Amino acid sequence: MGDPVADAEAIFRAGLARVDPLAMMGRVLSLTGDTLRVTTETECHEYDLSRYRHIYVLGAGKASARMALGLERLLGGRITGGLVAVKEGYRETLSRIRLLEAAHPVPDARSAAAADAVLGLAATAGRDDLVIVLVSGGASAILAAPLTCPGQPLTLADKQQTTRVLLACGATIQDINCVRKKLSAVKGGRLAAAIAPAACLGLLLSDVVGDDLDVIGSGPTVPDPTTGADALAVLARYGVAETIAPQALAVLEGVAAGRLPDTPKPGDPVFADTRTVLVGTNFQALLAARDKAAALGYATVVLTSHLTGEAREMAHLFLGMARDIAEYGVPLPRPACVIAGGETTVTIRGTGKGGRNQEMALAFLAGLGRDPKNAEEAVFLAASTDGSDGPTDATGAFASLAILRQAAALGLAVDDYLANNDAYHYFAAVGRLLKTGPTNTNVCDIKVLLVP
């Protein structure tokens, strides 16, 4: 063991390395002659590439460029062409696959153009072709073509405003994507419909707690089990039906009433030659982080990969565990490391800047400030695997009593910053933001609690 702050970062980075898309593609895909094998812990599939006239590659998400790079290295000249869309800055140098950049988490005009381009290329694929679709976190915003509704026009501005409302109200990603799918020309299996009758192989990197295939990137190649009524129920649950774009609400009501088309459902023939495979998860990252912590000398446990709920409330869980470890030696003896993954939410009430991980670290500090007993030596790191926590350039933030005292010496009142959702500026002032830059991967978040 060394400096606990440095140890926490090393443990996080070990998890990050495990889910590098380039390495993952090398582990999951192999090529022997004309046979492409897709092998995971739970399934194995083979494709005879000599059967296909063309092989196209489509994709979207923060990790899709690096996934595409791995595919290019494997298949090379067998790839006829393709297109992947990424969050701005998440680039790789590709030779056979075109790369576009777009906005995240709120789509922009580039998002709509990227979706149109992907749908256009999908439509060129014929019955004797194979289309490989690479999907990772961020795809929902990066591909954002409004659904074409005769007599019920829906614009990009409508989708942007609706997205902002859903992001600010504390909705889960499952609920947000339920609504998004109904308003999209590409999500909820509609990309698979555009690709049919060509064969479709979807390779997914999960940024969703529970790894639900229809939620990752809003499931462009997966049947959508949700209905228009489900989407309206989401709006009612969060009390935002009156605040989303009126035209978006009208479309959702039209889908629920059967006046407008819903997304393709399980059993739809458009999925007859479509297979979707999960190639990377948050849990894999947590296991690698656990191994690193153990190598550093910590007694270690992976608490969960399903951490959800309000970020500031989950912070109390970690603070409570730090106290129990220090006082009782449970669930681990010291020096201890507790690792968890998942994706929390933030209900925005202030006007500050931050993300869910920075908010959690700040809430940890706020609780520590009220009662530091038995947590004086604890160090907590909350960070996102994609390198961008919320609309910031920070991956996450560190929390400890030393950091709290450093901030107090600068006159920073932790409760005031928390009330204003302004974690970014608090941690920036004391130099305790973690910044990795774009990681070109995305499997939710990693939390590391150390009690040395």
Side-chain angles (χ1 to χ4, degrees), residues 379-448:
V379 170
F380 181 59
L381 169 63
S384 172
T385 57
D386 66 6
S388 178
D389 183 38
T392 77
D393 61 351
T395 306
F398 298 92
S400 70
L401 189 58
I403 294 169
L404 180 67
R405 289 170 173 166
Q406 181 185 359
L410 295 174
L412 306 180
V414 62
D415 287 318
D416 291 346
Y417 279 82
L418 186 60
N420 196 35
N421 300 115
D422 200 19
Y424 181 90
H425 291 114
Y426 181 95
F427 286 110
V430 293
R432 288 305 184 180
L433 290 167
L434 175 63
K435 295 185 179 183
T436 62
T439 62
N440 288 13
T441 191
N442 188 12
V443 292
C444 300
D445 304 331
I446 298 175
K447 325 294 181 186
V448 179

Side-chain angles (χ1 to χ4, degrees), residues 213-227:
L213 299 185
D214 68 290
V215 180
I216 302 166
S218 295
T221 64
V222 180
D224 178 23
T226 69
T227 65

